[in-house]
Amino acid sequence: MDLKELYQDIILEHGKSPRNFGKCKNYNHQARGHNPLCGDQVHVYLKLDKEKKVEQLTFEGSGCAISIASTSIMTELVKGKSFKASMEIIDGFLNMIKGGSEVKSNDLTEDQKIKIMSLSGVKQYPMRIKCATLSWHTLISAMENKDKDVNTEI
Ligand code: ZN
């Protein structure tokens, strides 16, 4: 199996069986995101502990396989990380999708790096980039308590 096939398998699998789906108990941050171009909707629920570590991270939503897979992978990778590490992972992902280099983070395992890189193929399809980045922008909004819905077209 080559890398491209492995990446496709990861996206398909997460699109079919998203992780951390649903509303978590005792969330203290949340934000909604909408990508009108494709119809993707996401609602991110986040619990930060006293040290601002991501204790819980779940989501509800509907949309295309890329948006669901990207959100599912995001929750897996960011859950349990410190605020600073989370922001670095988010920045790294958004930079990678915009055509930058691979995501470098000391806070991700090799397995997690493969998962985040599985979304790298999306950058060849400009129409799908917003599908992949919607939930990550929505997570930033939740973490920073902006209390503002994310709309990829505004
Ligand atoms: Zn989409």
Side-chain angles (χ1 to χ4, degrees), residues 12-88:
L12 282 173
E13 205 272 315
H14 276 266
K16 264 189 224 157
S17 317
R19 317 296 195 276
N20 304 304
F21 195 87
K23 200 185 281 185
C24 62
K25 272 187 200 165
N26 308 323
Y27 64 88
N28 48 16
H29 297 254
Q30 55 96 26
R32 284 173 203 269
H34 182 209
N35 172 19
L37 276 185
C38 179
D40 307 313
Q41 307 251 20
V42 66
H43 197 155
V44 167
Y45 302 95
L46 170 71
K47 185 177 182 205
L48 294 180
D49 72 8
K50 282 181 199 137
E51 280 80 44
K52 293 184 88 180
K53 190 179 127 185
V54 179
E55 197 177 305
Q56 282 292 339
L57 176 59
T58 66
F59 76 103
E60 288 177 332
S62 59
C64 65
I66 300 243
S67 76
I68 299 289
S70 183
T71 313
S72 172
I73 290 168
M74 175 188 83
T75 60
E76 268 203 337
L77 268 48
V78 172
K79 196 168 149 184
K81 302 288 194 294
S82 69
F83 191 91
K84 187 170 168 276
S86 302
M87 285 307 203
E88 281 170 7

